Amino acid sequence: MINVLFAARSDCWDTYEAPLLNALKAAGIKAHLAQDIPPAEVDYIVYAPNSDLQDFTPYTRAKAVLNLWAGVEKITGNETLRIPLARMVDPGLTKGMVEWVTGHVLRYHLGMDAHIVNPSHEWSTKAPPLAQEREVVIFGLGALGTACANALLSLGFRVAGWSRSPKSVEGVTCLNGDDGFAEALGRAEIAVTLLPDTPATTDIFNAETLALMPRGAFIINPGRGPLIDDDALIAALDSGQIAHATLDVFRIEPLPQEHPFWAHPGVTVTPHIAAETRASTASGEIVENIRRGEAGEPNLNLVDRALGY
């Protein structure tokens, strides 16, 4: 019998208990799944970084921590974690992100706002460019960024991507490092930001870097709130350097009512809905990692904790 500790808040347990039990049964894995198991008896930890468990030292038998979140930045620095950590790459979450990003890219590319909100009833016959005439840059070429890049490629967009370390994605102009970042900014008629929240990425989109983008560029941020300097973005919007921004993530959530983003005509606020982990699909990923662990195979989506992503 394998002991699987579910270390997350009670509302999460209510959501995941049945799907995880069903996935374990379907995989033929005999397991005891519970929220309270003596640490020395735990084989796997299904984990949410906002849970009460922060000291992994007592879990001497555990083989892996299986993160419930796509983001791992809140756990990678935990010095007590000395066993493999697997990030969540949920097919449902990925599909949701791809659909959300594609929708907002097309909104900007086609200039939909001018027709949706047209109080003066202007009859403008100017057609939008074709996708092949527009370059979209994905900042962050992890699993989500790569999936979004492939979807945009399938629609005919010219797609570039930037990551801190070198990556290779077929059909995508892949850039990396500081020089690559400057080039990526210069290409970004539409920028999609899917970088992790690390000290190196905090305010990475600031007054200096926003100025390197093509004038009238668009920004779509479903990644992390601290990637963008709020004041610098508002200034860039006011000057026309940035035409519009769709923001799904923020430093403080829910976004405070008094925050200027709510009232700014150049900002669309969405309430952190770009992507959500679905228990029905995520449970299968978690159980597959348990199966791999028991078979002596490497876990899916192992995290390099030195990089944090």
Side-chain angles (χ1 to χ4, degrees), residues 117 241 272:
V117 182
Q241 171 61 16
H272 205 145

Side-chain angles (χ1 to χ4, degrees), residues 91 111 117 139 163 293:
V117 182
F139 292 88
S163 54

Side-chain angles (χ1 to χ4, degrees), residues 112-306:
M112 291 180 177
D113 288 12
H115 306 290
I116 295 170
V117 182
N118 186 13
S120 60
H121 301 168
E122 291 184 15
W123 186 267
S124 174
T125 58
K126 182 180 179 180
L130 296 174
Q132 67 198 40
E133 300 170 307
R134 179 91 69 182
E135 185 154 23
V136 182
V137 178
I138 310 291
F139 292 88
L141 285 175
L144 293 176
T146 299
C148 290
N150 286 329
L152 294 170
L153 281 172
S154 72
L155 293 172
F157 286 101
R158 291 184 287 116
V159 180
W162 181 83
S163 54
R164 188 159 297 281
S165 56
K167 297 287 179 69
S168 178
V169 180
E170 185 176 356
V172 176
T173 301
C174 294
L175 306 166
N176 66 276
D178 293 341
D179 291 342
F181 186 59
E183 181 178 345
L185 289 166
R187 289 171 170 262
E189 297 174 76
I190 300 176
V192 179
T193 61
L194 283 166
L195 294 164
D197 180 11
T198 69
T201 62
T202 298
D203 291 335
I204 193 169
F205 295 94
N206 52 47
E208 180 181 352
T209 56
L210 292 172
L212 297 177
M213 296 177 69
R215 186 169 179 80
F218 299 93
I219 293 178
I220 300 170
N221 183 21
R224 294 289 186 268
L227 298 177
I228 299 177
D229 180 326
D230 292 1
D231 292 338
L233 176 57
I234 289 173
L237 288 163
D238 289 343
S239 72
Q241 171 61 16
I242 301 300
H244 203 281
T246 294
L247 310 175
D248 187 59
V249 287
F250 308 91
R251 281 178 163 78
I252 300 173
E253 295 184 2
L255 185 65
Q257 288 296 315
E258 65 276 12
H259 197 287
F261 283 159
W262 283 113
H264 200 289
V267 176
T268 297
V269 171
T270 64
H272 205 145
I273 57 170
E276 186 68 31
T277 301
R278 273 73 168 178
S280 58
T281 49
S283 294
E285 295 295 297
I286 292 167
V287 169
E288 173 60 13
N289 270 326
I290 292 173
R291 185 201 67 75
R292 284 171 168 263
E294 292 305 292
E297 302 172 12
N299 290 121
L300 297 170
N301 306 306
L302 283 178
V303 174
D304 184 341
R305 293 200 289 278

Side-chain angles (χ1 to χ4, degrees), residues 25-105:
K25 181 178 180 181
I29 297 174
K30 294 182 178 180
H32 171 54
L33 174 70
Q35 292 179 286
D36 186 14
I37 301 174
E41 299 176 14
V42 171
D43 295 296
Y44 296 91
I45 304 172
V46 178
Y47 184 74
N50 64 351
S51 73
D52 293 334
L53 197 170
Q54 297 299 320
D55 182 5
F56 293 90
T57 305
Y59 296 86
T60 54
R61 192 168 104 180
K63 300 175 183 177
V65 171
L66 311 175
N67 207 39
L68 281 170
W69 297 2
V72 294
E73 57 269 15
K74 294 186 182 300
I75 183 175
T76 52
N78 189 323
E79 295 183 356
T80 69
L81 178 58
R82 301 185 179 279
I83 57 177
L85 167 66
R87 74 167 72 244
M88 172 55 67
V89 179
D90 168 34
L93 183 151
T94 301
K95 289 178 181 178
M97 179 65 81
V98 167
E99 291 174 8
W100 189 92
V101 166
T102 302
H104 284 281
V105 167

